[in-house]
Amino acid sequence: MKHFDHINAKTVEEATSALAGGNAVVNAGGTDLLGTIRTAILRDYPEMVVNIKTIPGIDEIKEEGGMLKVGACATLEEIAKNETIKSKYAALAQAAYRTASPHIRAAGTIGGNICQLNRCWYFRKYDNRFDCIRKGGNMCYAMAGENRYHSIFGAVKACVAVNPSDTAPALVALNATIKTSKRDIAADDFWDVAIPGSTVLDDDEIVTEIQIPEPAGKSAFVKFALRATIDFPIVNCAASIGNGEASICLNAVHNNPYRATKAEEAIAGQTIDEASADAAGAAGVQGATKLAHNNYKIQIAKTMIKRAILGCK
Amino acid sequence: MTEKKNNNSGGISRREFLKDAGLLVGGSAIGSTVLLAACGGDTETVTEKVTTTVTGAGETITKTVTNEVTKTVTADGTAPSTGLKEITLTINGHKTTLAVDPGWDLKHLLHDRLGCIGVKDMCGGVGACGACCVIIDGKAVLSCMTLAVECDGKTIENSEGIAASNHPIVDAFITNNAFQCGYCAPGFVVSAKALLDQNPNPTDDEIIEALKGNLCRCTSYPRMVPAVRTASQQLGGSE
Amino acid sequence: MSNLQHNINIVSAQIPYDKDPHAKKEYDWVGRRGCRLVDGFDKASGRAIFPRDTIVPGMLYARVLSCPHAHAVIKSMDTSEAEAMEGVRYILRYDDPNPAAGFYVAQIGYFEGELMGVAIAADTEDIAEEALRKVKIEWQVLPFALECEDSIVEGMPILKNFHAIKVPGMPADTNHFKGTSANQYLTDWHLPGDVDEGFQNSDQIVEFTWRREENISAVPCWASLAVWGNMRNNQSSEGPVTQLYNYRPGNFGAGFLAEIIPSGIAPMLASYTGKNVICVQTPRAAHNCFCADDSGTVKCKVGFNSDGTIVAVQIDPWYFNRTYQSGIQWLHNSTKIPNLGINYNGAYVNRPINLPNRSEQRPNTSTYDMVIAHVAAALEMDPSEVARKNNGFEGHDLEWLAHHAEEHGFTWVDSQSQCINTAKEAIDWDANWSAKPGAKTLPNGNLQGLGFSGGYLNWHSTAFASDVGLSLDSSGKVHIISKQNEYGSNHNTTYCHVVAEELGCKYEDVHLRPNHQYDSFHLFDQGGSGGCAVNTHAVAKAARVLKPQILELACLEHTLLPTNDGSQELDGVYGYDRWPLRMTSLFPGLNPEDLDIKDSMVFEKANPDNAQPLALVASRTGTVSSGRHAGIPFGFAFQGQGIYGDEHDRPEMSRMCNMSLIEVDPETGQIIVKKSVAVNDVGKIIQPESCEGQIYGAAIMGIGRQILEEAIYDPATGVKLNDNLIEYKWPTLDYVQTVEAHPLENELGYGAYGCTGVGENQSDCAGQSITSALYNATGKWVLDWPMTPDKVLKALGKA
C-alpha cells in the first residue's frame, strides 16, 4: 500500500486528537480497514492510520458488578472462547465464533466488527468504480441492480446496503451499551448510516468498551451464509429471552441491525416451542419488502428468528 | 512514451533498509539479492555475497551474485521522503531491526522485501484465503491484514521457519499427500502448527475448525485432517 | 516429403488404438503407495517458487490496466501524472509505435476487468498499481451484451477481440456463431439417425431447459516473466531465468494459458527498459479474465420408451462465447442412442473468454446427465439403470464394444456396471434410494435425496504430443529432462513411478530435472489428464530406450587408450588400481541380454545373486582424468496421441460415475452435501495418492460449481461484482462432509498400461449428481445453475 503516516496511540486522548487532525482512520484488528485501503474503494486515501491496540487495557474482558465489560480491542477469538461469555452471554460468544474465519477472528476486534463498513459489492468494487450514495455520490446502484444480498426492510438515505456484522445483533439483543471516548450509547442507537460511515461515531471518536448487563434468561445467535466459514451473513439473528421479555435482532437485512419488534411481542411470555417460534418468525418479517432479487431473504430471516428463539429454549 | 531513469525506490532508502541485510529467515539467509530485487535500481554496480542455507538438504551453498544497486536520491535530487519507522521483530527465531514504511503490510515485508516466499498470495489481499497466514505471538493471522509497522516487538513464524525447525507437521503434509499444486500448502501448515502449539492433541473437529479459514482450489481437504492427526501423534499428543 | 510433413506423419503413426503392449500383470512401482512426493518438501515448506514468488536482481514489476467497462474504447489517454511518479520505469500504451503493443494492451476492452490499454513497469508492485490509478483515460463506452439474445440484435457492435475468433463460415458481421464448437466435432462427424423420426417412435417425450451461469476457473499463481532482450514467450524466458539465477520454474503454471494472459507485455517492457520484468497476473485479474466452459442455456428434448431405452435426443444450446465441446458428444460416444441432433448456437458476449479449464467436457456431461436424470424421473427409475440400459458407443451396443476391445488387445469389462456397483455399495444406495421423489423427510426436518451422474472417462486421447529425454548420471540417478509446468496434479511424482517401473531402479533414484532451455524436450505441460496419458507413454518409451544402454554399460570392456607412440599399454601404472584404465565388464562373459535391473541392482537373470549396484554401473560413464570414457546412457522418446477429443473407431470404454447423498433444508433452501462418492475407471493407477487426490478434488470442485460458484454482473454496466474470493465462493474445508474417491483399474484406456486421464472428469459430472439428488429430495428441478438458496426456495414455493 501507498505511504501513510502511522501512530501507535498510548492513550485514548492521543488517539482521538490524532483523529481530529483530519483524514485519519482508526486501525484495530485491520481486517476490514486494510482491505478497503488496498482495493481503493473509498474516495480518500488516509493520510494517517491510528493504531489503538497499543492503548493499555483496551483489550480486557472482565465481569464487574453484574455486568460484562469487553474492551474495544478484545479479539473475536477471545470473546468466542471466553467461558463467562459462553455461559452467560451465549449470543455474543456464538456471534463472535461465527464471524469470518479463524484467522480473522484471531486479529479482528469487537470494536472493529461493529464499526465495519458494509459489504455491498457496488460499494466494495475496486478503485471506487461505483461512487455510490454512501460515499457521497448521488445514487444507489444496488437498488435497481444486483441486490440479492441487500435490504428487505427498505432503504435508508436511498441506500439498500446491509450491515454485515455478526456481533452487532448480539449486542442489540443483549441490551449492550457502547462506551466511546465521548459518551455512552445504547446499542439500539449506535448504528446509523451516516455518509460514509456506519455508526453515529464522530470522526474523532472511538469505541473504548462494550458493557452488557447480565441477561435474565438465555440468549442465542444463528447465522445463514452460503458457506459455514469465511462468509458474511445473508441473514443472522440474535435473541435474548427471559423474565417474560424477549429481545430479538436481525442483521444483514437492513442498513442497520434490525430489531424484530413484532417477533419480540409475539414470543414474549410464551412457552418456546416449534409453533410459537415459527409464529414469531412470521411476525418478525411482517413489513418486509423485497427488491428484485432478494425475496428469498424474507423466508430465511423468518427461519433465523425462529431458530434463534429455539436456541433460547 | 518516455523511459524513466529516476533512481528512487518508492520512497525508501535502500541503504536504510539494508541495514540488516544479513537477516536470517526460515533458515535461509535473506540475502540482499532479494532485498535489492525488491527495490529495483540501476546506477552503480557492486558485488555482494549472498549466503543461502538450503533447509531440508542440510547443506550450505554459498554463491556470489553480482547485483545492481541504486543510490538513494529522488528524481529532483533531494533526499527520499522519510516516514520510515524502525521496528524490531523476531522472524523465525532471528531477531532483527528494520526500517519499514507504515504502508507496508506484513505480507509485503515478508514476501517481497525479505523473500519469505512461503507467504503466498491467493486472494489479492482481501482476507479470504489464508494463504498468507503467519504465526504472530502464537496466533495464526493473515499477514495481508497486518501492518508491518504494528509488529514491533513481535515474534513471527512462517512455513519456512516451521520447516526449518523440523516440525512434524511439514512431513505429515507430505506423507499424507495433503496438497496437489502446493500453492495453499504453506498456509495450511501454518494454521495447523499454530493449532498444535496450543493443542497438541486436537480432535478432528478442532482440526477442521483451525483450518477452516484456508482455501484450496485443488480441494485436497480430505487429506488435511489426517495430516494434522499424523503430526499430533508424532508430537506425542495422542494417547 | 518436407521435414514438417514427415513429422506430421510420425504423429499420426503414433496414435494408439490398441492396448499398450507393455502392460504387465504385476508392477513394482506403478501403483505403489507411500512414495514420497518428489517436490513435497518444497511445496509444504513454501519454498516452491511460483510465478508470484519470482525475485531476480533488479527486477521490475509490471501491472496492466483492468478495463472498467464491459465494452469501451479508449479515446485519449494522459499518462503524464503516472510518468512523473518516482519508481515508474516505462509506460507501455496502446498507441505505442510497436504494433504488438496494440495487441497486448489493446485500445478496446471487451469485458470489464480485461487487461488492456496500458501497462506500467515500476520498481515495486505498489508503485505500478498507484501509477495505473493516475492514468487519465477518456473512454467511449460502447453498448454491451451479457446474454446471447442481447448480442445478436441490430445495433450491437461486432465483438472481434483476439479471443473471439470467427469460426469457418461465420459471417464477419455478426456475433452469432452456429454449427460448430471449437474442436470442430460437429463439422467432422455426422450424428446418427433422424431425430424427428426418433421422437415419433418414442413412447414418451420430455423437454426441459437448463442454464449455467458463468463459472470462473481462477488459479491464483500465473505470471508472465521476461528477461531483458528476450522477446519470446514466457516459457522461453524460463530458460535464462533458470540458468542465471538458479530459479526453479517447476511451478510456472500452465503453458497454453500463457497465450491468453497478455504474455507479451513483460517481454516488451523488458526490451524497452533493459531490465528483467515480471508481469504477474493478479488474483483479481485471474478472476476476471477466464470463465469455465459451457455457460449459457441449453434446450433439450428427449424421446424414450417406457423401459428406459432412449430413442432420440435433440439439443439446442446457446452458449456464451464459443465452447470447446458441443454438448452432444458424450451421448454420441458413450451411448447406443440411435438418433441424435444438435442445433449449435452461441454468441460472443462481453464476458471473458471460455477457458476449458477442468470444465472442457461440461457441455457434454451436462447433456448426458440431464438426459439420463430426466428419463429416470419420468419413469421413476433408478437413473443409474437408465444409464446402464443406454450404454454403448456411437449407436452401437455393448456387444459391439466388447468385440472391439478384444480385437485391440483389451480384456473386456463392462466398466460402467462396475463403476455403478462400486458407487452404490459405497453410498449404500439401496438403503437410501427412493424412486419417488420428495419421499424422505429426516427427523431434523431436512429432505434427503440421492443423485447419480456419469459418463465415460476420457483424456487418454488428446491432441497433444510430448518428447522427453532420460539420462543416467554417474552417481546412478536417473534424470527426466524436459520443460516442466506444474498444474496441480503431482505429475512429477507420477513420471518417476513410470521410469522406476520401466528401468527397474528404485523410485528414489529417479529425479526430474526441469530444463527450460529453448531447445529442451517438452513434456505436454499440464501434467493433468491429457498430460498423464501422453507423457506416461513418452517417459516409459524413453526408459525402454535407456535400459539396454545401461545393461550394455555394465558389460562394457573398455578399449584402452593408446599411448602417444601407440606402442604401450598403460595398465598397472600410476597406481591405477583405484582408477583402472582397463575397464572390464562387471559381468564377465555375459551379454547385456543376460541381465536385468531390479531395485537399482543390475543382476544376471539366470543367477540373481550375481548382482552389481546401478550406481557402480553408472560410475563407469563419462570422461575422467584417467582418460577412460564411456558414453552417458541417454534415452529419448516422442509420443503423439491423437486428435483432440476422440476419433472414430477408437471408442471410449472406461466409464465413471458419481453418486451423492444430500440433505435440503426446506426452510432456508440450503443444500448440504453429506457424502459424494466418485468412481473413475482410470484404467491403471500409476501414482495412487495423486490419482485419488485428482478424483476427490475434482468432485468437490464440481459440486462447488453447481451450488456456489457464479460470476455476478451489474445489469446496468456489465461490471463483474464478485471478482474476489469473498463473494466468489470456492468450497471450503467443511463444505462437502465426506467425499470418497474410488479408482477402478480395468485397463481399458489408451494411455500407458491402459491408463486414462483422471482429473477433469469428476469436476465435469459431480455437480449434476447434486442436481439429480435435489430432484430426488424435493421432486423439483432446479435447472438454473448454480443452485443457490434463492433458487431452491423458489422451486419449493417459498420465495
Side-chain angles (χ1 to χ4, degrees), chain C residues 203-438:
Chain C
D203 294 349
Q204 285 189 52
I205 287 171
V206 287
E207 291 185 70
F208 47 93
T209 302
W210 69 88
R211 176 196 157 92
R212 189 187 294 280
E213 188 43 81
E214 174 192 328
N215 291 170
I216 296 163
S217 15
V219 176
C221 47
W222 295 333
S224 104
L225 171 70
V227 173
W228 174 65
N230 173 24
M231 284 293 288
R232 300 210 217 171
N233 66 38
N234 73 329
Q235 285 210 2
S236 306
S237 293
E238 293 167 30
V241 175
T242 314
Q243 302 301 316
L244 288 172
Y245 306 116
N246 194 23
Y247 166 67
R248 203 192 74 115
N251 301 90
F252 236 100
F256 82 102
L257 302 173
E259 298 160 17
I260 305 162
I261 301 164
S263 59
I265 291 174
M268 287 185 76
L269 288 169
S271 80
Y272 285 146
T273 59
K275 303 183 76 69
N276 301 320
V277 175
I278 183 166
C279 182
V280 176
Q281 191 192 26
T282 62
R284 181 191 165 202
H287 244 272
N288 272 324
C289 292
F290 313 105
C291 68
D293 225 351
D294 99 323
S295 40
T297 305
V298 182
K299 263 195 219 168
C300 183
K301 183 177 179 183
V302 187
F304 54 98
N305 290 336
S306 45
D307 67 345
T309 313
I310 299 167
V311 182
V313 179
Q314 165 75 33
I315 63 167
D316 297 305
W318 270 93
Y319 295 122
F320 302 148
N321 299 337
R322 193 167 47 145
T323 58
Y324 229 64
Q325 296 288 347
S326 64
I328 200 74
Q329 187 174 334
W330 276 32
L331 285 179
H332 192 200
N333 284 172
S334 62
T335 74
K336 59 180 184 189
I337 302 170
N339 305 291
L340 294 173
I342 180 172
N343 182 17
Y344 186 93
N345 283 289
Y348 290 124
V349 291
N350 296 97
R351 293 172 180 262
I353 181 174
N354 262 337
L355 179 76
N357 184 8
R358 247 193 176 183
S359 63
E360 58 287 310
Q361 293 295 338
R362 219 166 43 178
N364 296 328
T365 50
S366 299
T367 308
Y368 177 92
D369 294 326
M370 286 304 104
V371 164
I372 299 288
H374 278 79
V375 170
L379 298 169
E380 287 198 359
M381 274 178 76
D382 171 348
S384 64
E385 280 311 309
V386 176
R388 232 196 285 243
K389 265 195 165 39
N390 292 284
N391 193 6
F393 172 73
E394 289 185 22
H396 303 296
D397 60 12
L398 285 191
E399 227 168 275
W400 185 95
L401 214 49
H403 181 68
H404 169 91
E406 306 287 354
E407 257 186 359
H408 289 270
F410 296 92
T411 307
W412 170 248
V413 178
D414 178 358
S415 174
Q416 186 177 56
S417 288
Q418 237 190 53
C419 289
I420 289 169
N421 294 343
T422 305
K424 280 191 165 179
E425 193 181 321
I427 206 149
D428 204 355
W429 180 277
D430 294 337
N432 290 312
W433 172 249
S434 157
K436 199 173 163 49

Side-chain angles (χ1 to χ4, degrees), chain B residues 3 6 143:
Chain B
E3 183 177 354
N6 75 53
S143 62

Side-chain angles (χ1 to χ4, degrees), chain A residues 20-287:
Chain A
N23 202 6
V25 290
V26 183
N27 188 27
T31 54
D32 186 30
L33 179 73
L34 299 195
T36 63
I37 295 177
R38 183 177 291 121
T39 52
I41 62 168
L42 299 178
R43 282 183 169 187
D44 297 321
Y45 194 84
E47 281 164 25
M48 175 176 283
V49 170
V50 180
N51 178 17
I52 60 167
K53 292 188 293 295
T54 40
I55 299 172
I58 199 165
D59 58 350
E60 267 180 42
I61 300 174
K62 60 193 174 202
E63 209 180 19
E64 260 178 15
M67 185 171 278
L68 176 72
K69 295 179 175 177
V70 182
C73 290
T75 65
L76 297 166
E77 182 188 288
E78 286 157 3
I79 292 165
K81 287 185 175 166
N82 184 289
E83 290 302 329
T84 305
I85 302 179
K86 273 160 81 177
S87 59
K88 293 191 199 164
Y89 311 86
L92 178 59
Q94 291 162 6
Y97 169 71
R98 286 300 311 277
T99 301
S101 69
H103 306 118
I104 300 275
R105 292 197 292 275
T109 65
I110 180 90
N113 190 261
I114 62 175
C115 293
Q116 67 182 304
L117 297 176
N118 75 77
R119 303 300 307 186
C120 171
W121 37 33
Y122 292 94
F123 182 83
R124 292 265 169 179
K125 180 71 184 181
Y126 295 81
D127 298 324
N128 191 22
R129 174 66 177 77
F130 297 99
D131 192 40
C132 71
I133 200 154
R134 285 287 281 276
K135 299 171 182 173
N138 47 28
M139 75 172 282
C140 173
Y141 295 87
M143 187 88 81
E146 188 33 272
N147 49 34
R148 66 180 70 182
Y149 299 145
H150 290 71
S151 174
I152 52 171
F153 288 105
V156 174
K157 291 172 181 159
C159 163
V160 291
V162 296
N163 185 303
S165 170
D166 282 319
T167 58
L171 296 184
V172 173
L174 289 169
N175 197 21
T177 298
I178 291 152
K179 289 178 80 71
T180 76
S181 49
K182 285 185 179 169
R183 51 188 159 153
D184 292 357
I185 307 169
D188 258 331
D189 305 325
F190 182 72
W191 290 275
D192 182 18
V193 285
I195 294 169
S198 296
T199 70
V200 297
L201 293 179
D202 296 332
D203 285 349
D204 62 344
E205 185 179 13
I206 62 167
V207 175
T208 55
E209 189 177 87
I210 289 152
Q211 299 185 340
I212 307 174
E214 190 176 324
K218 283 188 165 180
S219 68
F221 170 88
V222 292
K223 171 174 176 176
F224 184 81
L226 290 186
R227 300 175 296 183
T229 175
I230 299 173
D231 282 356
F232 288 91
I234 287 177
V235 180
N236 63 20
C237 183
S240 174
I241 302 175
N243 266 358
E245 290 184 359
S247 176
I248 299 170
C249 185
L250 288 164
N251 206 9
V253 294
H254 183 59
N255 302 76
N256 303 317
Y258 183 85
R259 190 86 183 233
T261 47
K262 293 200 179 96
E264 293 172 350
E265 287 160 17
I267 198 68
Q270 303 284 314
T271 309
I272 297 173
D273 58 26
E274 186 80 15
S276 65
D278 202 53
V285 295
Q286 277 175 24

Side-chain angles (χ1 to χ4, degrees), chain A residues 122 125 127 129 227 306, chain C residues 68 133 667 714 720 730:
Chain A
Y122 292 94
K125 180 71 184 181
D127 298 324
R129 174 66 177 77
R227 300 175 296 183
K306 173 184 164 184
Chain C
R133 293 194 175 116
E667 290 183 324
D714 173 40
K720 193 180 278 178
W730 293 358

